[in-house]
Amino acid sequence: MANQLSQLDQVFAALADPTRRAIVMRLCTDEASVGELAEPFEMALPSFMKHIHVLETCGLVQSEKEGRVRTCRLIPEALVGAEDWFQHQRAIWEARLDRFEAYVMKLKKERAAAKRPSKTAGKTTIKPSKRKGA
Amino acid sequence: MANQLSQLDQVFAALADPTRRAIVMRLCTDEASVGELAEPFEMALPSFMKHIHVLETCGLVQSEKEGRVRTCRLIPEALVGAEDWFQHQRAIWEARLDRFEAYVMKLKKERAAAKRPSKTAGKTTIKPSKRKGA
DNA sequence: TAATTGGTTAGCCATGAAGCTAACTATAAG
DNA sequence: CTTATAGTTAGCTTCATGGCTAACCAATTA
């Protein structure tokens, strides 16, 4: 089995849960023991531990046990990896916006050019589009 | 009963699925019909439509039907909202790193000062905070 | 040694997510 | 009018997730 989820899959899935996001946020400021982390949540410890485990599995958190205390710390690389995905998409999206803007500018120019000689306002090609039976 | 998932919950959950991430990536470059979007995937249409619906529910995608074709486009605001979360965390994390770095610098200075008896090396007030028995 | 603390293991349950097929609707195209 | 296209609805299975309790170590502390 071992469904071979990608790191991104796992990180996003981990962050989709508010409890886990809260844990990550908490660990951004400081490392902490499981008990400290769990304290704000009204949840049985075993349930809480599952969240910790999810965060460890996807590489967002590492922990180490010393005596009977397990201390957790954030691994920011995993976070950065996910952030990169967004930035990549945004780059693509913005490039597209730029293209669109350029296109609009071109249209504007053409329109201006078309307006000058006389009114050629008959070629609008508006499709009737959707009828909605009320 | 309408579990009141936050937008972030939903967006991250949506992006945790590779199919949906692929759809979003595709829509970053261009809008497309459901059929066009579905084509690269070996998946029954109804299954695929569920993914579209998830993306619409969390606000990442909007669609409109004209004739029998439903055209989907990306709503980048939702994407940006998720990206912001990362940047916020990163800011906190980096502030912490800075503090740590400052602390290390201070330590270095003190060490250097301690080596040379000439400099004043007594006013440091370092809080022990967390002890780590090593 | 006995009790407490901090976490762990095991196992149960309810819900929801992700996939499928089959059958249906509505618009285009022939 | 008939057929093909593009989605849609309904209903089913399977498996993962998130929660619980109960019982169990293993270090501290008394």
Side-chain angles (χ1 to χ4, degrees):
Chain A
M1 304 285 162
N3 209 347
Q4 189 74 333
L5 286 242
S6 84
Q7 168 103 339
L8 261 194
D9 288 6
Q10 293 187 79
V11 169
F12 280 136
L15 295 178
D17 184 283
T19 300
R20 288 192 295 255
R21 264 199 327 276
I23 296 173
V24 167
M25 292 174 73
R26 164 73 210 269
L27 289 179
C28 272
T29 66
D30 200 0
E31 59 180 51
S33 73
V34 169
E36 286 168 344
L37 288 173
E39 183 218 321
F41 300 96
E42 294 185 3
M43 190 183 293
L45 245 224
S47 314
F48 185 80
M49 285 295 294
K50 277 194 192 173
H51 288 297
I52 297 284
H53 190 243
V54 169
L55 290 171
E56 284 197 275
T57 301
C58 73
L60 276 168
V61 163
Q62 260 186 11
S63 73
E64 203 181 340
K65 198 166 180 178
E66 181 160 343
R68 55 185 171 171
V69 173
R70 176 171 295 278
T71 302
C72 305
R73 66 183 153 292
L74 188 73
I75 306 298
E77 282 77 13
L79 217 48
V80 170
E83 193 182 358
D84 283 349
W85 186 83
F86 284 96
Q87 294 183 346
H88 184 62
Q89 298 327 117
R90 192 150 55 81
I92 295 172
W93 162 261
E94 280 174 357
R96 177 193 166 191
L97 263 201
D98 289 348
R99 263 183 286 131
F100 180 69
E101 219 163 272
Y103 168 74
V104 169
M105 290 310 262
K106 199 167 154 191
L107 275 196
K108 270 192 182 171
K109 253 199 221 161
E110 285 169 13
R111 264 214 176 162
K115 254 189 184 169
R116 223 137 341 134
S118 168
K119 278 263 191 152
T120 24
K123 289 295 203 169
T124 39
T125 51
I126 301 168
K127 279 184 268 183
S129 71
K130 65 197 94 294
R131 274 179 307 140
K132 238 194 166 173
Chain B
M1 283 173 93
N3 209 347
Q4 190 74 331
L5 285 243
S6 84
Q7 169 101 339
L8 262 192
D9 289 4
Q10 293 186 80
V11 169
F12 281 136
L15 296 178
D17 184 282
T19 301
R20 287 192 295 255
R21 265 201 324 279
I23 295 172
V24 167
M25 291 173 74
R26 165 70 211 270
L27 289 179
C28 271
T29 66
D30 199 1
E31 59 181 50
S33 71
V34 169
E36 287 167 344
L37 289 172
E39 183 219 323
F41 300 96
E42 292 187 3
M43 190 184 295
L45 243 225
S47 315
F48 185 80
M49 284 294 294
K50 278 195 192 174
H51 288 298
I52 297 284
H53 189 243
V54 169
L55 290 170
E56 286 197 274
T57 300
C58 72
L60 277 168
V61 163
Q62 261 186 11
S63 72
E64 205 180 339
K65 197 166 179 179
E66 181 160 345
R68 55 187 169 168
V69 174
R70 176 171 296 277
T71 303
C72 304
R73 67 182 153 292
L74 187 73
I75 306 298
E77 282 77 13
L79 216 50
V80 169
E83 193 184 357
D84 284 349
W85 186 85
F86 284 96
Q87 294 185 346
H88 185 62
Q89 298 326 119
R90 193 152 54 83
I92 294 173
W93 162 260
E94 282 175 356
R96 176 192 168 190
L97 263 201
D98 288 349
R99 262 183 285 134
F100 180 70
E101 220 163 90
Y103 168 74
V104 168
M105 289 310 263
K106 204 162 154 191
L107 276 194
K108 270 191 181 170
K109 255 199 219 161
E110 284 168 14
R111 265 208 170 166
K115 261 188 184 165
R116 277 166 303 165
S118 49
K119 286 272 180 169
T120 49
K123 300 280 224 169
T124 42
T125 53
I126 304 166
K127 277 184 273 181
S129 61
K130 62 195 83 310
R131 275 173 304 141
K132 225 189 167 181

